Amino acid sequence: MSFVEYGDTIKDGDTAIVFLGHESMFPVKVQHGTITQTKYGVIRHSTDLIGKKYGSKVTCSKGGWVFILHPTPELWTMNLPHRTQILYSTDISMITMMLELKPGSIVCESGTGSGSLSHALIRTVAPTGHLYTVEFHQQRAEKAREEFREHGVEHLVTVTNQDVCKNGFGVSNIADAVFLDIPSPWEAIGHAKSALKAEGGRICSFSPCIEQVQRTCLAMEEYGFTEINTLEILLRVYNIRTISLQIPDLGKAAEGNSSMGFDSSNPSSQGSPCANLQQGTVQFKSGVPLREMVGHTGYLTFATKS
């Protein structure tokens, strides 16, 4: 099993996604002899999972059923264990596009955090690219290494435990792109410039506060970056609902006919709209925004190495 290569069959040691519904799913490590409890009953890994195809419908001990899905970066973002606050698909999609990433790209990232963006970057640059990710916290760095190994992508990523603001990324003049998600990104702009290739490399900094953005932009200008721009991605979700509206009472049909010049004795006027109009309600579908939704996540500042 690998997050960048699809496999048909569930194997011992795989990470799989147990899908109970669009709002209810969780990851599980498949192990021979292990069981997993769900609200629909027990799933026995040896008999219910190992050897079955991904996407299979599995019946639990209480008679309910779940689907077992192959892991992807998108599903992992929705289900990963949170060691830090993470980036979600809305920001991740813009980052991968604006950094102009493709298979074979070399990317530097700091910090690794819970690995949400890391998995998406690895999938984007695979099979010939590489991710160099730096994490200041030792335990988080070790956990990230373990997850990358379990997910079959350790050959595409190098995890380093150090302070990027003091020691940089550990590489020079090879990166196509750099991503910063740290409290003081302006302190790492110089190291980011050193890691980027000689000309044309892209940089992105994620910051929740506009004061961080201002200092980062000043540092980018100081180090000669161009095309500096800041974006904020807001997602607005709509619910489709059935709306009932009352038809207005426009008076009697006869009065309507006379006022409009219709002759009620004329057969040609019997099929007019006014003749069939009656007071009541009509139903139609309407898109309504959610009452509560995710708002500001952070500002994305992009620039190009000149």
Side-chain angles (χ1 to χ4, degrees):
M1 184 276 304
S2 172
F3 272 53
V4 297
E5 296 177 358
Y6 183 79
D8 290 331
T9 306
I10 304 172
K11 299 180 177 63
D12 189 13
D14 282 3
T15 298
I17 305 297
V18 180
F19 180 89
L20 293 82
H22 289 290
E23 302 298 329
S24 179
M25 64 185 89
F26 60 89
V28 62
K29 184 175 181 180
V30 179
Q31 292 179 312
H32 185 78
T34 302
I35 64 173
T36 296
Q37 293 281 356
T38 74
K39 64 181 180 180
Y40 301 126
V42 171
I43 301 174
R44 294 175 174 84
H45 294 200
S46 300
T47 57
D48 297 333
L49 298 184
I50 297 176
K52 300 291 182 64
K53 287 189 175 182
Y54 279 107
S56 297
K57 184 178 179 179
V58 174
T59 302
C60 305
S61 61
K62 293 182 180 180
W65 47 267
V66 299
F67 287 108
I68 308 299
L69 305 181
H70 192 283
T72 64
E74 291 81 5
L75 289 174
W76 185 245
T77 291
M78 298 171 61
N79 296 280
L80 58 78
H82 285 224
R83 300 182 289 273
T84 60
Q85 292 185 354
I86 68 170
L87 293 178
Y88 290 92
S89 299
T90 307
D91 290 315
I92 291 173
S93 58
M94 181 60 72
I95 292 168
T96 55
M97 184 189 74
M98 294 295 289
L99 290 182
E100 302 174 1
L101 302 182
K102 59 186 181 298
S105 295
I106 297 176
V107 187
C108 291
E109 175 197 26
S110 184
T112 312
S114 300
S116 173
L117 176 64
S118 303
H119 282 80
L121 294 177
I122 292 170
R123 198 260 309 271
T124 302
V125 305
T128 56
H130 200 84
L131 172 66
Y132 295 89
T133 182
V134 178
E135 173 56 50
F136 175 79
H137 194 276
Q138 182 178 359
Q139 291 180 335
R140 288 201 293 263
E142 292 174 353
K143 185 61 178 178
R145 289 193 192 97
E146 179 184 342
E147 287 180 349
F148 293 143
R149 183 170 59 254
E150 291 178 352
H151 299 165
V153 296
E154 71 277 9
H155 62 291
L156 296 170
V157 57
T158 299
V159 182
T160 305
N161 173 220
Q162 63 186 28
D163 185 352
V164 70
C165 296
K166 295 180 179 179
N167 307 115
F169 293 93
V171 296
S172 299
N173 302 319
I174 65 170
D176 297 290
V178 169
F179 176 78
L180 298 174
D181 183 6
I182 54 178
S184 52
W186 55 88
E187 296 181 0
I189 298 300
H191 294 296
K193 183 177 181 180
S194 299
L196 287 168
K197 59 187 181 182
E199 186 176 356
R202 294 279 286 167
I203 184 174
C204 174
S205 174
F206 177 90
S207 297
C209 302
I210 195 64
E211 292 81 6
Q212 293 171 303
V213 174
Q214 292 170 335
R215 295 190 64 176
T216 302
C217 290
L218 291 174
M220 288 179 175
E221 289 181 345
E222 180 181 348
Y223 281 96
F225 283 89
T226 59
E227 299 178 341
I228 302 172
N229 64 88
T230 299
L231 308 175
E232 181 184 22
I233 313 300
L234 300 177
L235 178 65
R236 191 176 189 186
V237 180
Y238 281 80
N239 274 343
I240 303 301
R241 299 180 182 176
T242 300
I243 305 296
S244 295
L245 290 181
Q246 187 173 6
I247 298 175
D249 184 2
L250 301 179
K252 296 180 180 180
E255 295 176 356
N257 288 345
S258 61
S259 64
M260 296 180 65
F262 285 107
D263 183 2
S264 60
S265 63
N266 186 351
S268 63
S269 67
Q270 297 300 318
S272 65
C274 293
N276 297 323
L277 187 61
Q278 297 180 358
Q279 187 175 7
T281 60
V282 62
Q283 293 184 336
F284 63 94
K285 299 292 185 180
S286 175
V288 181
L290 300 179
R291 291 178 179 271
E292 295 181 0
M293 65 185 69
V294 176
H296 172 75
T297 57
Y299 300 102
L300 295 171
T301 300
F302 297 91
T304 302
K305 181 178 179 180
S306 178

